[in-house]
């Protein structure tokens, strides 16, 4: 299924920059003759070092004529024009306010701030009959735009799945997009061993691993660096009725409310985890297997949804942030609103000691000496 916005991201050395140039050439020569497109890098020096010198060697003059400063553009034999652009400073984006492109390519897109990327993306606004916008972004984990791309591409849907954009404000039209993971093995022109050796020179261990593995769950400043998708995430399956179950709830209105369904996995149970070393554990484990993640929804509606998602009955106690017992002006509390629908015996005060909680999660995620981690998250719990 065609998409209008594609994000290709992951490990360093996966050939992303070369793919950007190849895609730009394809659009110019095959897809949109007579059109206009732009290829972006965050900074001018990066644009020259990564693209301009190389593409002038790759594209023969019989296909395109290079126009240097101040245009920085290729004029193709098809009449298509590809501009090479950069934003050294945050507000340089407004210099492109009057531009109109049929396609845009953003190399190392996470180096752009979300404000920069979304504004420049809005300049892809061709109204030619039968043409659709083409936006391709490529990046490694990390950078100012990491969380934007993680939330709106990586975590929004399974890899390779076409879905509608979720960050489009009315009256915008949601468009189809997809995420494809880049891996070092995708690039046959590099020696994997040699390139991994180069990455060992990165001093920050989290950043080094993110660049080597293309893991979007890793970033500088991350709290739980033990997390590995192959070890801690399992495929979906029907949770047995006889397992002990409970809930954890963190309430919010403008900020999201998160409710998690959790179950105790008996020792010796074979979980569908990618890393086969951790499929079976000699101790019980905790499985987060369902989630409710909503914004701007009142407590009564949340409680009804929790009940419906649980098959019409509570499956165990719901441990909540103690702040929901704070009294409102009318004397009631959010806890009262939950209890009126779910039953007071199920709505219980949790322990919100942050330091103790963080330490507990660190221990639950830890795997050592071949022992499986205690915490497992079902793939459906994307948030």
């Amino acid at each position: 299924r065609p998409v209008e916005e594609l994000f290709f991201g992951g490990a360093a050395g996966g050939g992303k920059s070369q793919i950007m140039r190849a895609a730009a050439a394809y659009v110019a020569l095959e897809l949109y003759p007579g059109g206009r497109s732009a290829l972006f890098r965050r900074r001018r020096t990066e644009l020259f070092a990564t693209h301009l010198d190389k593409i002038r060697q790759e594209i023969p003059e019989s296909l395109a004529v290079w126009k240097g400063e101040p245009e920085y553009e290729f004029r193709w034999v098809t009449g298509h024009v590809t501009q090479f652009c950069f934003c050294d400073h945050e507000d340089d984006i407004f210099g492109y306010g009057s531009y109109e492109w049929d396609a845009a390519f953003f190399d190392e897109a996470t180096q752009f701030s979300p404000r920069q990327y979304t504004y420049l993306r809005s300049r892809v606004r061709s109204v030619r009959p039968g043409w659709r916008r083409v936006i391709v972004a490529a990046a490694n984990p990390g950078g100012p735009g990491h969380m934007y791309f993680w939330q709106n591409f990586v975590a929004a849907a399974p890899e390779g799945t076409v879905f509608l954009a979720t960050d489009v404000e009315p009256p915008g039209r949601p468009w189809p997009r997809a995420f494809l993971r880049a891996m070092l093995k995708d690039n046959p022109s590099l020696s994997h061993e040699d390139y991994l050796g180069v990455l060992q020179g990165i001093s920050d261990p989290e950043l080094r691993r993110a660049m080597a593995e293309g893991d979007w769950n890793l970033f500088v400043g991350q709290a739980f660096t033990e997390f590995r998708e192959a070890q801690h995430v399992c495929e979906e399956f029907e949770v047995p009725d006889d397992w002990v179950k409970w809930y954890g709830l963190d309430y919010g209105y403008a900020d999201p409310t998160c409710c998690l369904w959790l179950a105790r996995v008996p020792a010796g149970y074979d979980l569908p985890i990618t890393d086969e070393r951790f499929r079976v554990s000699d101790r019980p484990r905790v499985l987060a297997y369902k989630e409710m993640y909503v914004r701007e929804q009142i407590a009564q509606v949340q409680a009804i949804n929790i009940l419906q998602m649980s098959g019409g009955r509570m499956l165990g106690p719901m441990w909540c942030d103690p702040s929901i017992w704070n009294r409102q002006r009318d004397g009631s509390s959010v806890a009262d609103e939950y209890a009126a629908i779910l039953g007071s015996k199920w709505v219980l005060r949790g322990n919100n000691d942050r330091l103790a909680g963080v330490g507990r999660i660190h221990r639950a995620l830890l795997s050592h000496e071949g022992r499986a981690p205690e915490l497992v998250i079902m793939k459906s719990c994307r948030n």
Side-chain angles (χ1 to χ4, degrees):
R1 179 183 169 188
V3 298
E4 295 183 22
E5 189 176 16
L6 174 68
F7 180 47
F8 181 55
K16 296 182 295 296
S17 296
Q18 191 169 6
I19 286 174
M20 290 286 101
R21 297 194 297 275
Y26 172 75
V27 166
L29 292 171
E30 300 288 342
L31 198 59
Y32 294 149
R36 297 187 70 87
S37 58
L39 193 156
F40 272 91
R41 274 295 297 250
R42 176 69 168 81
R43 303 195 183 281
R44 183 178 186 272
T45 52
E46 297 168 345
L47 181 68
F48 274 83
T50 305
H51 291 294
L52 291 186
D53 292 338
K54 292 180 180 178
I55 198 169
R56 291 167 68 184
Q57 297 172 9
E58 294 165 346
I59 304 299
E61 292 184 0
S62 59
L63 292 180
V65 175
W66 169 248
K67 295 294 182 180
E69 194 172 355
E71 290 91 350
Y72 295 125
E73 63 186 29
F74 263 121
R75 297 180 182 176
W76 303 81
V77 293
T78 59
H80 191 103
V81 175
T82 302
Q83 297 176 282
F84 290 79
C85 309
F86 56 90
C87 294
D88 276 333
H89 306 287
E90 179 71 20
D91 288 341
D92 285 352
I93 55 175
F94 299 117
Y96 299 102
S98 61
Y99 284 68
E100 185 176 283
W101 298 306
D102 303 297
F105 308 90
F106 297 87
D107 192 20
E108 294 302 342
T110 52
Q111 297 306 311
F112 294 83
S113 68
R115 174 174 175 260
Q116 288 180 314
Y117 176 75
T118 54
Y119 179 84
L120 294 170
R121 182 183 63 191
S122 74
R123 304 302 91 191
V124 184
R125 48 184 179 164
S126 175
V127 293
R128 304 184 193 214
W131 287 21
R132 59 181 175 85
R133 83 184 93 195
V134 174
I135 303 165
V136 183
N140 302 123
H146 177 104
M147 290 306 297
Y148 173 82
F149 283 96
W150 180 86
Q151 181 176 14
N152 293 292
F153 290 87
V154 181
E159 178 188 349
T161 301
V162 178
F163 63 99
L164 293 179
T166 56
D167 60 325
V168 181
E169 295 292 334
R173 172 184 65 84
W175 55 83
R177 59 168 48 146
F179 163 66
L180 295 178
R181 191 178 301 275
M183 299 297 290
L184 180 56
K185 64 182 180 182
D186 297 330
N187 189 351
S189 64
L190 284 180
S191 164
H192 299 179
E193 292 74 17
D194 290 347
Y195 199 79
L196 288 173
V198 172
L199 294 179
Q200 292 304 311
I202 300 175
S203 59
D204 186 285
E206 281 73 49
L207 181 58
R208 182 171 63 245
R209 206 174 93 222
M211 297 288 276
E213 300 176 11
D215 190 341
W216 286 89
N217 297 301
L218 301 170
F219 52 92
V220 177
Q222 178 180 353
F224 301 109
T225 57
E226 302 90 348
F227 180 80
R228 304 285 191 281
E229 187 166 344
Q231 297 178 17
H232 297 100
V233 177
C234 76
E235 298 294 331
E236 297 178 44
F237 66 95
E238 193 68 32
V239 177
D241 290 336
D242 60 349
W243 285 8
V244 174
K245 299 181 179 71
W246 67 98
Y247 307 78
L249 183 129
D250 188 20
Y251 175 77
Y253 185 77
D255 291 329
T257 290
C258 180
C259 181
L260 289 178
W261 280 247
L262 300 116
R264 183 167 298 284
V265 183
Y269 189 88
D270 189 355
L271 286 173
I273 295 172
T274 301
D275 193 328
E276 295 184 356
R277 297 175 300 168
F278 303 108
R279 294 179 69 111
V280 177
S281 173
D282 61 356
R283 59 177 173 171
R285 286 185 280 185
V286 173
L287 172 69
Y289 68 94
K290 189 181 294 187
E291 69 175 12
M292 183 186 76
Y293 197 78
V294 293
R295 286 185 174 86
E296 298 183 353
Q297 191 176 89
I298 61 174
Q300 294 97 324
V301 175
Q302 293 177 13
I304 292 171
N305 288 339
I306 290 169
L307 208 55
Q308 290 176 341
M309 292 172 69
S310 300
R313 64 184 181 88
M314 291 297 285
L315 306 174
M318 184 170 75
W319 299 98
C320 309
D321 185 336
S323 67
I324 70 169
W325 274 267
N326 294 341
R327 293 293 169 184
Q328 304 173 70
R329 290 184 178 180
D330 63 358
S332 67
S333 68
V334 170
D336 294 334
E337 296 171 7
Y338 280 119
I341 294 170
L342 303 178
S344 58
K345 71 175 183 177
W346 301 114
V347 182
L348 304 178
R349 290 176 184 260
N351 181 345
N352 66 344
D353 182 332
R354 288 179 180 270
L355 289 179
V358 167
R360 182 71 184 92
I361 300 301
H362 277 302
R363 295 194 300 275
L365 290 171
L366 192 63
S367 59
H368 60 95
E369 297 179 354
R371 199 176 198 199
E374 185 183 3
L375 177 61
V376 182
I377 304 165
M378 195 173 281
K379 208 169 191 176
S380 55
C381 299
R382 301 199 62 81
N383 290 291

